[in-house]
Amino acid sequence: MTGYTPVPDAEPFRIKMVEPIRWTTREEREGLLEEAGYNLFLVPAEAVYIDLLTDSGTSAMSDAQWAGLMRGDEAYAGSRSFYRLREVIRGLLGFEHVLPTHQGRGAEHVLFSTILKPGQLVLNNMHFDTTLAHVQHRGGIAQDLAIAQAYDPTSAHPFKGDFDLSRLERALKEHGPAKIALVMATVTCNSGGGQPVSLANLRQAAALARSHGVRFFLDACRFAENAYFIHEREPGWTGRPVREVVRAMMDVADGCTMSGKKDALVNIGGFLAMRDPALYRQATVWAVLFEGFPTYGGLAGRDLEAMARGLEEVVDEEYLRHRLGQVRYLADRLRDAGVPLMEPPGGHAVYLDARRFLPHLDAEQLPGQTLAVEIYREGGVRTVEIGTVLAGRDPATGANRHPELELVRLAIPRRVYTDRHLEWVAASVIRVYGRRTAMRGMTMTEEPPVLRHFTARFRPIA
Ligand code: P70
């Protein structure tokens, strides 16, 4: 969006409570890195100055949410806070049946246990790692079907999360409903750089799925950010109220999985929501087994209350204007200095293109991991690799997967950091960019079999 807007994109909130953060010396960070096996997940958070590891569960809650914690109803069964959450979800998203879960992957676990049989396919614009792991855990096969531009970090396509509809149609025709358990759209598309899916594309993808008798779900983690991109960019939808856009996105789906840790502005929580009462009854069996009684789902009543309030706050347009504007602000600082980015910036994060940042390293030298370590060493800023390490190995062949994108994600927690913090982040990355040719890469020394990025250990290549 360009041009004069009478509404400032400065924070539509002020700060009532602060939490000190600590600066470390380069020597301290050097020692911490060695101890952590050069895995930033293993560095204590207290030794991180600015933590951009994830936007998940790191939001600052509002005064209304904190007040809600005191109002939470801790009844085991039939908690008032559950009914309140369900009302908000019904009103905002339009799904009748709601199963709270402890977080997003809890919802994935319940959903795939209910609908996925071994050998069946799940089609997604791009599976996020936990979704992929849950599909595989059930013996399913995951297929990514995003448009080609999604894999081109330089393409400025406004909806890089879109499905390639002809590939989707071909897969549906070829395999049919007996072989395909689900079509799922991840909004925004996290593994593709936090890129939105357009409403037109969602509608067509859902219509294709439906015409082949296959269910269509959203992975709705960042639904509000996706809706704001539609509100900003999509012909026919620009300027339309975000709540209306959200509803239009949900209207095409049979249900959604949700990590409340993103666009419900809470530190823990999630849910599975759907329309079909029969599916809900089946899912409830698994929810009870894995998550808890269906009116609490692994959460305290106060968490349900905070999530209900967060869902209402996240669709506030002034909040979303500030949110996406802040991510863009960081991207602008970096782009101005020539740092290669995944374009355009996503809804929740700026992604560095590690392949163009460190063109002298090949995939086996883990350019993304190398870059993430270097940014921490430089500025005490924690980021995360979304590349070869995260992609893991092919379960059939055991070979390293080579993802088309090798990225380092700078995820911005919601309502937490100021633009001055982001200026420090930009300065740190720019200094690393200045000495990029000296970087030699990393090698993995310990590798766990699933979700290896969380606990793997590395050492620098001499
Ligand atoms: C993130 C976290 C979680 C996620 C997601 C999508 C599109 C489902 C989930 C699972 C995970 C993460 C990654 C790196 C570092 C820390 C955390 N994404 N679908 O940051 O939700 O975590 O609640 O089980 O993005 O992107 P949950």
Side-chain angles (χ1 to χ4, degrees), residues 41 52-57 101-108 124 126-131 134 184 186-191 219-222 257-262 268-270 348 351 383-386 390 409 411 453-454:
F41 282 103
L52 308 185
L53 180 70
T54 177
D55 63 319
S56 180
T101 59
H102 76 283
Q103 61 185 86
R105 69 198 72 179
E108 292 166 0
N124 202 317
M126 236 186 259
H127 285 84
F128 191 66
D129 62 339
T130 57
T131 324
H134 270 296
M184 201 169 197
T186 306
V187 293
T188 56
C189 183
N190 189 8
S191 312
D219 175 339
C221 295
R222 299 178 178 87
T257 56
M258 176 72 189
S259 168
K261 300 172 74 172
K262 284 84 170 174
I268 194 69
H348 65 296
Y351 293 66
T383 60
V384 70
E385 188 248 29
I386 303 223
L390 182 83
R409 185 181 73 173
H453 52 287
F454 288 128

Side-chain angles (χ1 to χ4, degrees), residues 322-403:
H322 156 69
R323 166 77 179 149
L324 273 68
Q326 195 180 38
V327 174
R328 241 169 251 161
Y329 174 83
L330 175 60
D332 290 346
R333 298 284 76 73
L334 292 169
R335 193 187 304 104
D336 288 349
V339 175
L341 305 179
M342 171 88 179
E343 297 287 2
H348 65 296
V350 173
Y351 293 66
L352 307 178
D353 183 357
R355 204 161 276 153
R356 279 187 297 145
F357 200 115
L358 298 172
H360 58 289
L361 300 186
D362 64 40
E364 295 294 331
Q365 292 165 305
L366 309 177
Q369 185 64 22
T370 304
L371 182 50
V373 164
E374 219 49 58
I375 292 169
Y376 174 71
R377 196 197 310 266
E378 177 66 43
V381 177
R382 176 157 66 174
T383 60
V384 70
E385 188 248 29
I386 303 223
T388 306
V389 179
L390 182 83
R393 290 176 185 275
D394 188 303
T397 67
N400 263 325
R401 287 203 191 88
H402 288 299

Side-chain angles (χ1 to χ4, degrees), residues 123-189:
L123 312 179
N124 202 317
N125 47 350
M126 236 186 259
H127 285 84
F128 191 66
D129 62 339
T130 57
T131 324
L132 173 67
H134 270 296
V135 169
Q136 290 172 346
H137 172 68
R138 292 287 303 165
I141 302 158
Q143 240 184 61
D144 289 348
L145 295 170
I147 54 172
Q149 289 93 324
Y151 298 98
D152 173 4
T154 63
S155 159
H157 191 289
F159 292 103
K160 286 170 100 169
D162 279 0
F163 278 95
D164 180 332
L165 294 167
S166 54
R167 282 176 68 209
L168 176 61
E169 186 168 23
R170 228 177 304 135
L172 285 161
K173 269 198 185 124
E174 190 183 327
H175 303 291
K179 184 89 202 288
I180 304 176
L182 186 70
V183 178
M184 201 169 197
T186 306
V187 293
T188 56
C189 183

Side-chain angles (χ1 to χ4, degrees), residues 286-305:
W286 295 112
V288 171
L289 186 62
F290 300 141
E291 299 288 316
F293 190 77
T295 62
Y296 77 83
L299 296 170
R302 55 181 169 272
D303 299 324
L304 302 170
E305 194 73 39

Side-chain angles (χ1 to χ4, degrees), residues 211-352:
S211 70
H212 287 85
V214 177
R215 284 197 180 93
F216 187 84
F217 266 62
L218 297 179
D219 175 339
C221 295
R222 299 178 178 87
F223 73 95
E225 290 165 7
N226 198 96
Y228 200 78
F229 278 122
I230 291 172
H231 161 96
E232 276 187 335
R233 295 180 182 169
E234 186 161 346
W237 287 92
T238 49
R240 296 275 282 277
V242 163
R243 287 184 84 101
E244 218 178 276
V245 178
V246 166
R247 194 48 175 270
M249 287 166 56
M250 301 295 155
D251 279 349
V252 306
D254 297 303
C256 74
T257 56
M258 176 72 189
S259 168
K261 300 172 74 172
K262 284 84 170 174
D263 272 352
L265 298 171
V266 288
N267 305 118
I268 194 69
F271 58 84
L272 174 64
M274 69 211 91
R275 298 183 203 287
D276 179 359
L279 183 68
Y280 167 71
R281 277 193 299 278
Q282 290 162 16
T284 301
V285 176
W286 295 112
V288 171
L289 186 62
F290 300 141
E291 299 288 316
F293 190 77
T295 62
Y296 77 83
L299 296 170
R302 55 181 169 272
D303 299 324
L304 302 170
E305 194 73 39
M307 191 150 57
R309 294 176 186 217
L311 283 169
E312 283 177 332
E313 291 175 15
V314 81
V315 290
D316 178 274
E317 293 183 14
E318 292 189 16
Y319 158 75
L320 284 167
R321 180 188 301 112
H322 156 69
R323 166 77 179 149
L324 273 68
Q326 195 180 38
V327 174
R328 241 169 251 161
Y329 174 83
L330 175 60
D332 290 346
R333 298 284 76 73
L334 292 169
R335 193 187 304 104
D336 288 349
V339 175
L341 305 179
M342 171 88 179
E343 297 287 2
H348 65 296
V350 173
Y351 293 66
L352 307 178

